[in-house]
Amino acid sequence: MAETATGIGDTDHSIFIGKGEQPAWLTLGLANRHGLVTGATGTGKTVSLQVMAEGFLRAGVPVFAADIKGDLSGISEPGEAKDFILKRAKDMGLTFQPDQFSTIFWDVFGEQGHPVRATVSEMGPLLLSRMMDLNDVQEGVLNVAFRVADEQGLLLLDMKDLRAILSFIAEHAADLTTQYGNVSKQTVGTIQRQLLVLENQGGDKFFGEPALSLDDFMRTDRDGRGMINILVADKLMQSPKLYATFLLWMLSELFEHLPEVGDPPKPKLVFFFDEAHLLFNDAPKALMDKIEQVVRLIRSKGVGVYFVTQNPIDVPDKVLAQLGNRVQHALRAFTPRDQKAVAAAAQTFRPNPKLNTAQVITELGKGEALVSFLEGNGTPAVVERVMVRPPSARIGPITAEERKTIMNGSPVKGKYDTAIDSESAYEVLQKRVAGTAATADAPEGGILGQIGSIVGTVFGTNTPRGKLSTGQVVARSVTRTVTNKVVGGIVSDLGKSVGGSLGGSVGRALVRGALGGLLRR
């Protein structure tokens, strides 16, 4: 079959990536064995990513990719027959023909794409601790907060819910300490301050509902081609840990929710993780072990993960060993560390007797790459020097008007654009306080009646959501504590309170996955 730059030459089983002495083909049936795209800034990583993404989309495979600089957005518009593109196509014996691909834009901040949200409960304590840069002690207390919420069936949807449960455990620190270990108000206060930092970074926009549905990532268009989901990440990158943890959460969601499919003829989804080094920087061993587990096992869910970074040494060895498809652009060897990085990159390839891999890495021109893709039996091919084919869609960013037009025609328009304020831990705890106040206001008053009256005076039973002050939270907790002691000494044994309150069967239904995320919404 004749090869063309529109991908007509792609077979039913492989994607044409580039050409050197031999053509380089990425086998669709092995694309879920993950991959790595590396190279110094300006050497062509984004173009290689776009070429690979276009091939997957033509094959009917949905794609997710983070767009750090905005350049990848051009995939939504037809390519332009510029001189250098025509020359590269001609040198490969190809005929260039423009193409474009169905695109959905996402943005945590809701500015240049549809808002993308997760709930606090779904994120889980492990990833949230990473996002807030908590130490081991603080992470332990956060785990207690999630445990109490889970046992009582309290969903933590947004940051107000998390603050409410933290205030609750601070007021009951003495009782919780006997059951879960040391819980101090000082540690809770530190976590609350880190929450404020996270909120200032945009966490208040990310946490909430409607939460992202994975089905909206697994779309094909009317022609049966995959749709590409582009996360607008230029602003998000100003908060690197929020960016890295968010993408890791997405991987964990795919891992926990997709069924086992083994090795399908083509992936169900391909996930490009740009600036991948941010995922691994300063990550504790416990988290690294979980990341390695997810990357290793998500292959059997039909998901291919492609890490994009400057150098292979940015990726830990245990994860690097899982990445079978490699594209290496140029690296520079100006310093001893650079030279070490070049040597390390060369050692990750299956040697080619015709190439001095380490030397070639420093000589590659823009658009050139060393590639090694998995062959039919699942082993890496020998490394080859190739010129990457030109993309069929536009290279570079789109305009604001073009983006607006695409979003207006989006298949998810209106689904995520308006936040929903569902009943969750914050509202449930408020109702408990309101009910306690009503009970305490029974005839003959007494101490409970006085407390209920005080609480009603301070913030009433119809306080608008989000208006509760610290003093009001304290008053609420004190009232609940006194009442529970009167009606059965529940707070003195929090485990009994779990069985007798909202928890019950609901609390037992809350199950968490490998990275601590909630499995059942």
Side-chain angles (χ1 to χ4, degrees), residues 38-40 43 310-312 328-333 341-342 345 361-363:
T38 53
T43 55
Q310 292 202 7
N311 197 287
Q328 174 69 61
H329 288 275
L331 292 174
R332 308 309 176 202
V342 169
I361 287 176
T362 63
E363 297 173 348

Side-chain angles (χ1 to χ4, degrees), residues 380-518:
V382 295
V383 61
E384 295 282 354
R385 182 175 183 170
V386 305
M387 177 65 72
V388 178
R389 63 180 287 182
S392 303
R394 181 188 301 177
I395 300 175
I398 61 175
T399 65
E401 291 74 19
E402 289 170 332
R403 184 185 299 271
K404 184 177 180 181
T405 299
I406 292 171
M407 289 184 62
N408 285 337
S410 170
V412 297
K413 181 183 179 182
K415 182 173 181 179
Y416 298 101
D417 298 333
T418 303
I420 298 174
D421 203 358
S422 303
E423 181 176 281
S424 48
Y426 182 91
E427 287 81 7
V428 170
L429 291 174
Q430 264 200 322
K431 287 183 178 180
R432 291 186 187 180
V433 174
T436 299
T439 302
D441 207 17
E444 299 191 33
I447 184 63
L448 295 184
Q450 295 176 33
I451 293 177
S453 176
I454 292 171
V455 172
T457 300
V458 172
F459 62 94
T461 58
N462 296 314
T463 303
R465 179 172 180 160
K467 301 299 184 181
L468 211 59
S469 71
T470 302
Q472 292 163 349
V473 171
V474 171
R476 176 196 65 191
S477 300
V478 170
T479 302
R480 184 174 184 275
T481 301
V482 174
T483 304
N484 282 343
K485 284 184 177 180
V486 171
V487 299
I490 297 177
V491 174
S492 62
D493 183 356
L494 193 61
K496 295 179 182 178
S497 113
V498 171
S501 61
L502 177 66
S505 60
V506 177
R508 288 191 294 272
L510 300 181
V511 181
R512 296 195 172 274
L515 290 177
L518 193 65

Side-chain angles (χ1 to χ4, degrees), residues 118-138:
T119 67
V120 174
S121 281
E122 288 173 323
M123 178 66 67
L126 179 61
L127 293 181
L128 195 58
S129 296
R130 161 74 166 160
M131 193 179 290
M132 294 193 292
D133 200 21
L134 302 184
N135 61 31
D136 291 343
V137 174
Q138 294 156 359

Side-chain angles (χ1 to χ4, degrees), residues 7-318:
I8 297 174
D10 296 348
T11 71
D12 292 336
H13 308 290
S14 58
I15 302 169
F16 176 61
I17 300 297
K19 191 174 183 179
E21 289 190 5
Q22 300 291 333
W25 300 87
L26 174 58
T27 303
L28 285 169
L30 298 172
N32 66 325
R33 304 291 180 93
H34 311 319
L36 181 69
V37 181
T38 53
T41 301
T43 55
K45 294 194 301 296
T46 301
V47 171
S48 291
L49 189 159
Q50 182 170 334
V51 166
M52 295 171 73
E54 289 182 4
F56 285 121
L57 296 171
R58 282 189 292 263
V61 179
V63 170
F64 171 88
D67 192 10
I68 304 297
K69 297 175 293 185
D71 292 345
L72 193 57
S73 61
I75 200 170
S76 62
E77 299 296 328
E80 302 172 37
K82 295 182 178 179
D83 291 343
F84 78 93
I85 292 178
L86 295 176
K87 181 179 185 305
R88 185 182 298 188
K90 182 179 179 181
D91 291 344
M92 294 184 180
L94 307 176
T95 301
F96 177 78
Q97 184 174 342
D99 200 357
Q100 65 187 118
F101 300 87
S102 300
T103 305
I104 303 176
F105 290 106
W106 303 91
D107 185 357
V108 168
F109 302 97
E111 297 173 356
Q112 300 183 68
H114 301 291
V116 53
R117 302 181 186 88
T119 67
V120 174
S121 281
E122 288 173 323
M123 178 66 67
L126 179 61
L127 293 181
L128 195 58
S129 296
R130 161 74 166 160
M131 193 179 290
M132 294 193 292
D133 200 21
L134 302 184
N135 61 31
D136 291 343
V137 174
Q138 294 156 359
E139 182 180 346
V141 172
L142 188 63
N143 272 279
V144 171
F146 273 80
R147 177 67 176 273
V148 171
D150 286 353
E151 288 182 344
Q152 299 205 31
L154 297 173
L155 284 177
L156 307 177
L157 301 182
D158 52 31
M159 299 191 76
K160 292 188 290 296
D161 295 324
L162 186 54
R163 286 198 188 94
I165 198 67
L166 285 170
S167 296
F168 176 82
I169 69 167
E171 290 305 315
H172 299 90
D175 304 294
L176 290 164
T177 294
T178 61
Q179 187 169 353
Y180 299 108
N182 186 45
V183 177
S184 71
K185 293 184 178 180
Q186 291 79 6
T187 302
V188 173
T190 301
I191 298 173
Q192 293 275 30
R193 287 193 295 274
Q194 291 300 100
L195 275 180
L196 180 61
V197 173
L198 180 60
E199 185 173 1
N200 290 338
Q201 293 177 347
D204 58 328
K205 297 181 182 295
F206 173 57
F207 290 111
E209 287 195 317
L212 179 66
S213 170
L214 294 178
D215 291 339
D216 288 324
F217 276 0
M218 318 288 283
R219 291 177 177 268
T220 55
D221 62 18
R222 66 182 63 184
D223 298 321
R225 304 205 303 181
M227 299 189 73
I228 182 169
N229 301 272
I230 294 181
L231 176 69
V232 181
D234 52 349
K235 185 176 179 181
L236 185 60
M237 277 300 297
Q238 297 174 19
S239 306
K241 285 194 174 178
L242 178 59
Y243 166 78
T245 310
F246 164 64
L247 291 190
L248 182 56
W249 166 77
M250 289 182 58
L251 278 183
S252 69
E253 285 281 288
L254 291 166
F255 171 71
E256 300 292 359
H257 288 82
L258 291 179
E260 294 277 346
V261 294
D263 286 316
K266 60 184 179 182
K268 296 177 67 176
L269 176 73
V270 170
F271 192 106
F272 288 97
F273 198 140
D274 203 359
E275 299 293 340
H277 65 281
L278 296 174
L279 175 60
F280 309 109
N281 286 351
D282 303 320
K285 184 180 183 304
L287 180 58
M288 283 301 307
D289 291 342
K290 296 294 185 182
I291 294 172
E292 189 269 334
Q293 177 188 9
V294 169
V295 172
R296 176 166 48 86
L297 297 179
I298 202 171
R299 173 186 66 81
S300 63
K301 307 295 183 82
V303 177
V305 182
Y306 287 72
F307 294 96
V308 183
T309 188
Q310 292 202 7
N311 197 287
I313 64 174
D314 294 336
V315 182
D317 289 342
K318 286 186 177 180

